[in-house]
Amino acid sequence: MKDQLHILSLARRCLMVLAAALLIALALYLGSSYFKDRGRSQLTQAQQTEGANQAGLAEKQSDLANMQAEISRFNRLRQQGMVGTPDREGWVEQLLSSRQRTGLPDTLVYSLEASRPLALQVGVAAGNQPAPALTDAGSGSQAGPVFHDLNIGMTGIHEEELLALLRDYRAQVKGHFRVNACLLSDRTETGLAAHCTLRFFSLPDTAPNPAPASPQ
């Protein structure tokens, strides 16, 4: 009887140790699952954050590339004479030089009209009376994009000579222009009479000063 009680006591102790071991194993399993899920969640969040940072970096790099391209384009326009103070005197001097280089007769006459706002271009083309040039109050500078009409006239010239003059002028002059109008008339043995309008365009590179507030 005593042996049976001793065996039962030992068996109960073994069962209790086994139960404790199972509880510890279960706790370790649940704890490892919790920390594993938490680590996976943190990893996912970190990956999402890194993805967002990469997207933001790519967007900033794209913006920087676009800005650099715009700056480069702006500098090219400045070098071409389209941005900044227009070289009106240089336009006339280059016209005279082109006439000499092409060997055309010395019958060239010209007139460079005052600059006018680009918004008036349609009205001028339609033959309406041009309005005064818009300027920044107090500074006298143009307040926006403007155009300048350079009127030229020659007599005793042929079509191919006129084209040669315009090609040479376009290649040498600092500024951008288009042939806005050209009339050939009065054909004679020595050639034609040509009357053309070369329209230059320019844009100031500084913002106009705000107009002073009117007194109350």
Side-chain angles (χ1 to χ4, degrees):
M1 186 67 179
K2 291 182 179 180
D3 292 337
Q4 292 178 349
L5 291 175
H6 181 67
I7 293 173
L8 290 175
S9 177
L10 293 176
R12 186 175 63 181
R13 290 180 181 179
C14 291
L15 290 175
M16 292 177 63
V17 172
L18 178 61
L22 291 175
L23 290 174
I24 293 174
L26 179 60
L28 291 175
Y29 172 76
L30 294 176
S32 64
S33 297
Y34 169 77
F35 286 109
K36 184 179 180 180
D37 292 340
R38 183 178 179 183
R40 185 182 295 111
S41 176
Q42 291 176 343
L43 177 61
T44 301
Q45 292 178 355
Q47 290 174 340
Q48 292 175 347
T49 301
E50 181 181 4
N53 291 337
Q54 290 291 342
L57 178 61
E59 182 178 1
K60 287 181 173 60
Q61 289 175 338
S62 177
D63 293 341
L64 177 61
N66 291 334
M67 182 179 299
Q68 290 174 338
E70 290 299 326
I71 291 175
S72 177
R73 182 183 178 188
F74 180 82
N75 289 334
R76 287 197 302 269
L77 292 176
R78 181 191 291 275
Q79 292 172 357
Q80 294 171 359
M82 290 189 64
V83 175
T85 303
D87 187 14
R88 290 169 56 90
E89 183 177 350
W91 297 344
V92 174
E93 293 176 352
Q94 190 55 242
L95 177 64
L96 299 176
S97 298
S98 292
R99 200 278 307 170
Q100 293 178 347
R101 275 193 301 270
T102 51
L104 297 181
D106 190 13
T107 61
L108 175 65
V109 293
Y110 61 87
S111 64
L112 181 57
E113 298 181 8
S115 59
R116 285 175 290 197
L118 193 60
L120 298 178
Q121 189 173 195
V122 176
V124 172
N128 297 335
Q129 182 68 24
L134 298 178
T135 57
D136 176 24
S139 67
S141 60
Q142 295 292 339
V146 296
F147 68 93
H148 319 250
D149 281 349
L150 175 58
N151 302 310
I152 63 174
M154 294 189 72
T155 57
I157 188 173
H158 297 88
E159 292 92 333
E160 57 272 15
E161 293 175 330
L162 177 60
L163 291 176
L165 172 65
L166 294 177
R167 282 195 296 265
D168 183 87
Y169 187 53
R170 187 182 298 276
Q172 300 297 328
V173 73
K174 184 178 180 181
H176 178 75
F177 74 91
R178 75 180 184 200
V179 180
N180 198 60
C182 207
L183 175 64
L184 300 178
S185 61
D186 300 334
R187 181 181 296 274
T188 65
E189 294 181 357
T190 60
L192 298 165
H195 299 276
C196 299
T197 298
L198 310 182
R199 179 160 292 178
F200 284 84
F201 301 91
S202 65
L203 176 69
D205 58 357
T206 56
N209 296 326
S214 57
Q216 299 295 329

